[in-house]
Amino acid sequence: MGQRHQLFVVAKIRNRYRTLAVAHRQWLYEMGPVERCLRLIQIFQAGPNQIPIKQELRAACEKDDDFWTTDSMQPFPFIATCLLVGSSFEPEDGYQHRVHSLPFNVTLDQIDNNDGITIIDLSDTKNIRYCFAFLDDWPQKPLKPLSANGYLVRYETNPGRDEDEDEDEHSEIEEEKYRMITKDILRNWLNPTAGDDKSLDHDEQQAQLVGTKQSLREQTMEQLIDTLLRDPDHDPDAMAEARHLPDFASKLRNKISSLAAANELPSSPALVRCLGIAFDGQTAVDLSSMTQITPGLLVEAISSLLESGIVKSLDLSHLRQLSEKDLEGIVRTKSGLETLYILQMPQISLLCVGSLWAKNTAFKEIYHTDLFGRPLNLTHRYSNLVVGLQSPCITDTRNPIKNILFARVLSKMYNGEPNLRKDDGITVDWQRSELGLSGSHEENHMFFSVFPINDMLLTPTKIVNGLVNFLRCASIDSDSCALSESYLAGYTMVKSFASASPYKTDDSTTIGPFPNLLYKACSTTARTISPLWPVPFPYLCPGELSIVIINEQSPSTRLEKTFPSKFRLAVISPKTADKSDGYRVQSLEAYLEGLTECSSGIRSEEVAALLQYWKQRMSFVGSCEAAEIDELLPTAEKNLEKVKQSCIWGNVSRAWDRE
């Protein structure tokens, strides 16, 4: 059933094209693959995503041949997360659809396909290649790579159209901007015995040719760099003069990286001074190639670089010689460091990541492989969900917002049933709504769901961007794929926060990890016949916050296609531990205005910019009165308790309590 399409991400790994991630879409055809491909290219080319992609490509190059046939779901979880978000979610267009991740090494004869495939080549992220292909004649005939226009021709009404005929009015992909995957690349990718692809692109050939020509100035500079690496005090005057040359520091950095990659970098005290010269004045420092340097020298070099307070981004990926104690000693509260990359470092636990995050309020993002991998590498079974919920999890102690409580209600019931609005015509009679007893559109389109987000590293900017993505997508969704059931609303929330930039507003191409527990709940629920949502009502303490989002629709008949949709939002916290005095209720604007740099790491000017952005983009979102919250939440909690005590979800939801 469905018009089934798969999307593959591949790259040239040690002269062989390998698959890195695969996604399955049940309904993707006509313009859909072209639009998703363009969105994916934009995500894979986005600046903040370049370092995680580069580090996963490097990890792929370190794998032996046996690895590519092993049973591993998602060994490259950042790339897989980008693929899942880009192939199914675009908030500005109100676009959200289900997507399944497949094992990374699934083969074409193992997939269920009838509408072709999309292939994206990340060998060079500055010049991404793409193509589409149909499997109708494969494997009897080689795959034929198609451009965006060529793919769309297959859906034209005139069967006599030439596949080479221009279709620019249909395609959003600029053919001259994005290069095509060639037949040779497809042949190398699909045929394991074809041998290595040692051919070079024209750009690579030119780079090698240019690299062979050195001017006298460049030769002299290289000699100075070699001398500096051996003995920084050899000729102080010459070194002082060289440091003023505009490209000296960059060439020194390149030389250090190339020596480190070849395991020829001397591990000596002189290296600390050389790194200080190479990265002097740099806001982004990449030390990920220093895998052979002793931990003591590394810690000394990193600490020295961070002393200036200039460094905002630090890449320590692959440095497995560093311990958790080393990292905690490096990351100090007042270092000014905003982004830390510790990818492919299994010796660093998520508990350590949480400790680092809590210690430095200036952090905006920490990239760790397990943050991306944990949500994806879970088999969709009840028992595995319970195990996953009981396993150690990162907890964001800086962010007091623990959950998003989402209520979807029809103010007027179907088939002439009475309106659920109260006499004031504004609030809903929640006690009559039976909210929380079902999460399925097959019942009455009404549900109450708890979306946990306390296992994400969230800044105020990321929270606002996530909420804007969710509300924007849900408000213009045209086919009810965003909110019609609990798990669909959950998926929309997952992708909204995964594409929420921690750095700036109005950016949905910077990719972060999925909220772990929420994604697991969505994935498990989506594969069952039960409409019940497995997450019970949360235990909230005074001072801990939740965001309540109420989505109210007013359809009058089952045949009505356009449902007027309203959204209301509040930030709430119980006044007492037993919630007997109700809840403190404030608007998101009031919550943001109360943030301080000491507690949240956000400056007053950043708060002002967030407030302005929220008011501009979310003017259609209303507020909630305290009286309505005091009626809604006890009703939902009582109904969810009934769900918790029934059916198989009882065991699952009790695991959430322990989590």
Side-chain angles (χ1 to χ4, degrees):
M1 177 182 176
Q3 294 183 272
R4 302 171 298 283
H5 191 100
Q6 287 79 33
L7 304 97
F8 293 79
V9 178
V10 304
K12 190 176 184 180
I13 306 298
R14 293 191 301 177
N15 295 322
R16 283 292 316 282
Y17 275 88
R18 303 286 193 178
T19 307
L20 304 176
V22 188
H24 170 91
R25 280 285 309 275
Q26 192 70 8
W27 295 95
L28 192 62
Y29 56 97
E30 292 183 347
M31 274 297 296
V34 176
E35 294 169 343
R36 295 306 96 216
C37 183
L38 179 62
R39 165 81 164 151
L40 283 165
I41 291 174
Q42 292 169 344
I43 287 175
F44 284 128
Q45 287 189 330
N49 300 332
Q50 295 305 295
I51 291 178
I53 291 173
K54 180 190 75 171
Q55 296 300 355
E56 289 199 339
L57 292 176
R58 175 180 167 185
C61 291
E62 295 174 353
K63 306 297 184 183
D64 59 25
D65 290 342
D66 292 339
F67 164 81
W68 301 98
T69 58
T70 57
D71 183 16
S72 177
M73 278 293 291
Q74 304 299 337
F76 311 107
F78 181 83
I79 291 173
T81 302
C82 291
L83 175 61
L84 292 175
V85 172
S87 63
S88 65
F89 182 69
E90 191 155 11
E92 289 302 309
D93 295 338
Y95 186 91
Q96 139 64 19
H97 282 269
R98 284 183 61 186
V99 61
H100 307 297
S101 60
L102 299 178
F104 82 102
N105 51 7
V106 68
T107 57
L108 293 186
D109 57 356
Q110 295 173 325
I111 61 176
D112 180 16
N113 181 277
N114 66 351
D115 266 85
I117 61 176
T118 300
I119 309 168
I120 295 178
D121 177 10
L122 294 186
S123 302
D124 180 1
T125 55
K126 294 181 180 178
N127 296 285
I128 288 178
R129 293 179 184 265
Y130 83 97
C131 78
F132 304 94
F134 286 92
L135 306 183
D136 300 349
D137 300 324
W138 182 87
Q140 289 77 20
K141 295 182 179 179
L143 281 188
K144 178 180 180 181
L146 299 173
S147 67
N149 293 327
Y151 180 85
L152 292 172
V153 164
R154 293 289 295 266
Y155 290 97
E156 291 300 311
T157 55
N158 181 359
R161 294 285 292 273
D162 187 335
E163 288 193 357
D164 293 328
E165 187 172 342
D166 286 340
E167 294 291 339
D168 289 337
E169 68 273 19
H170 296 293
S171 174
E172 295 185 28
I173 295 182
E174 303 173 51
E175 303 287 334
E176 72 282 358
K177 184 175 181 180
Y178 302 114
R179 297 188 299 171
M180 283 275 295
I181 289 175
T182 64
K183 291 181 180 179
D184 289 340
I185 291 176
L186 290 183
R187 188 180 302 114
N188 180 273
W189 172 53
L190 292 174
N191 187 356
T193 62
D196 292 347
D197 177 10
K198 298 181 180 178
S199 61
L200 293 176
D201 295 331
H202 174 73
D203 294 343
E204 293 173 315
Q205 293 173 352
Q206 290 298 109
Q208 284 197 359
L209 182 62
V210 170
T212 61
K213 300 177 181 178
Q214 278 193 323
S215 65
L216 179 60
R217 175 181 177 276
E218 290 172 329
Q219 292 175 15
T220 303
M221 186 178 295
E222 186 164 328
Q223 291 173 359
L224 278 173
I225 290 174
D226 289 338
T227 302
L228 177 63
L229 289 170
R230 291 194 306 271
D231 181 7
D233 299 319
H234 175 70
D235 189 346
D237 293 337
M239 294 305 169
E241 186 176 344
R243 290 181 65 175
H244 289 91
L245 297 175
D247 55 349
F248 179 76
S250 64
K251 289 187 179 296
L252 177 58
R253 290 195 297 273
N254 292 338
K255 182 69 172 182
I256 291 174
S257 295
S258 63
L259 289 174
N263 294 331
E264 297 175 358
L265 189 64
S267 185
S268 65
L271 179 62
V272 176
R273 291 185 59 187
C274 292
L275 289 172
I277 296 171
F279 290 102
D280 184 31
Q282 297 293 304
T283 59
V285 173
D286 179 5
L287 300 179
S288 62
S289 61
M290 309 292 167
T291 56
Q292 302 300 313
I293 306 305
T294 61
L297 281 179
L298 261 181
V299 170
E300 183 183 352
I302 296 168
S303 300
S304 176
L305 289 169
L306 294 180
E307 280 180 0
S308 66
I310 296 175
V311 178
K312 302 300 180 185
S313 171
L314 178 63
D315 187 0
L316 303 179
S317 301
H318 293 270
L319 300 184
R320 300 191 179 187
Q321 69 270 45
L322 290 179
S323 67
E324 293 184 347
K325 185 178 180 180
D326 291 332
L327 274 183
E328 290 173 351
I330 291 168
V331 177
R332 298 181 301 277
T333 303
K334 297 182 180 180
S335 67
L337 190 63
E338 295 181 352
T339 306
L340 177 64
Y341 299 91
I342 45 177
L343 297 155
Q344 307 299 323
M345 295 176 67
Q347 80 278 18
I348 307 300
S349 68
L350 289 181
L351 294 177
C352 177
V353 173
S355 174
L356 295 174
W357 179 262
K359 182 183 294 186
N360 187 355
T361 57
F363 270 139
K364 294 184 177 180
E365 193 71 279
I366 297 179
Y367 290 86
H368 186 280
T369 301
D370 283 352
L371 283 175
F372 291 91
R374 289 190 73 231
L376 303 183
N377 291 312
L378 179 75
T379 304
H380 304 289
R381 297 176 181 172
Y382 301 116
S383 59
N384 285 334
L385 176 59
V386 175
V387 171
L389 297 175
Q390 293 173 327
S391 60
C393 178
I394 191 169
T395 299
D396 181 0
T397 56
R398 274 172 45 187
N399 172 34
I401 298 176
K402 306 304 179 184
N403 305 277
I404 294 177
L405 311 178
F406 182 70
R408 189 173 190 268
V409 66
L410 303 183
S411 61
K412 190 170 185 178
M413 300 291 285
Y414 288 126
N415 299 329
E417 293 183 33
N419 198 318
L420 286 176
R421 282 198 175 278
K422 290 188 173 181
D423 294 339
D424 60 12
I426 299 174
T427 59
V428 173
D429 189 342
W430 296 108
Q431 294 182 356
R432 286 198 299 127
S433 68
E434 296 187 346
L435 201 68
L437 292 179
S438 174
S440 171
H441 70 283
E442 297 296 337
E443 301 294 329
N444 56 19
H445 280 277
M446 301 195 302
F447 55 84
F448 180 95
S449 297
V450 179
F451 298 150
I453 58 171
N454 61 322
D455 55 3
M456 299 186 72
L457 303 179
L458 294 175
T459 63
T461 300
K462 195 175 180 77
I463 291 172
V464 170
N465 282 333
L467 291 173
V468 169
N469 285 345
F470 178 82
L471 293 166
R472 177 66 176 163
C473 181
S475 66
I476 59 177
D477 174 53
S478 59
D479 51 9
S480 298
C481 287
L483 298 181
S484 61
E485 301 189 46
S486 287
Y487 78 90
L488 290 174
Y491 272 138
T492 305
M493 191 68 72
V494 163
K495 298 167 191 175
S496 294
F497 276 89
S499 58
S501 171
Y503 304 107
K504 61 181 182 179
T505 56
D506 215 11
D507 169 26
S508 62
T509 60
T510 298
I511 301 301
F514 289 158
N516 179 44
L517 300 183
L518 178 54
Y519 184 74
K520 288 173 179 174
C522 293
S523 299
T524 305
T525 307
R527 282 168 163 75
T528 70
I529 60 174
S530 172
L532 301 176
W533 183 246
V535 189
F537 196 88
Y539 177 76
L540 298 177
C541 298
E544 291 183 347
L545 306 178
S546 290
I547 294 175
V548 175
I549 299 177
I550 299 173
N551 171 227
E552 184 182 343
Q553 295 192 335
S554 305
S556 56
T557 69
R558 288 187 181 273
L559 299 178
E560 188 170 347
K561 295 183 178 180
T562 303
F563 293 179
S565 187
K566 299 179 181 179
F567 290 90
R568 300 201 296 281
L569 185 146
V571 181
I572 64 101
S573 178
K575 295 178 181 178
T576 60
D578 61 3
K579 296 174 284 191
S580 58
D581 290 340
Y583 293 85
R584 290 188 175 88
V585 180
Q586 59 181 328
S587 65
L588 184 70
E589 293 93 327
Y591 165 71
L592 292 174
E593 289 171 349
L595 294 176
T596 64
E597 185 172 358
C598 179
S599 63
S600 63
I602 190 170
R603 298 185 296 272
S604 58
E605 56 268 27
E606 292 178 288
V607 172
L610 282 180
L611 285 168
Q612 182 180 10
Y613 175 67
W614 176 263
K615 292 175 182 178
Q616 288 176 345
R617 297 300 304 271
M618 297 288 107
S619 59
F620 62 89
V621 178
S623 59
C624 301
E625 299 296 329
E628 182 175 20
I629 296 296
D630 288 342
E631 181 183 346
L632 163 62
L633 296 188
T635 301
E637 183 176 9
K638 178 183 67 176
N639 290 342
L640 288 178
E641 184 63 26
K642 295 178 183 178
V643 174
K644 179 179 176 180
Q645 299 302 327
S646 65
C647 72
I648 192 168
W649 289 123
N651 291 331
V652 176
S653 60
R654 280 188 285 275
W656 287 85
D657 291 342
R658 290 189 291 270
E659 181 68 27

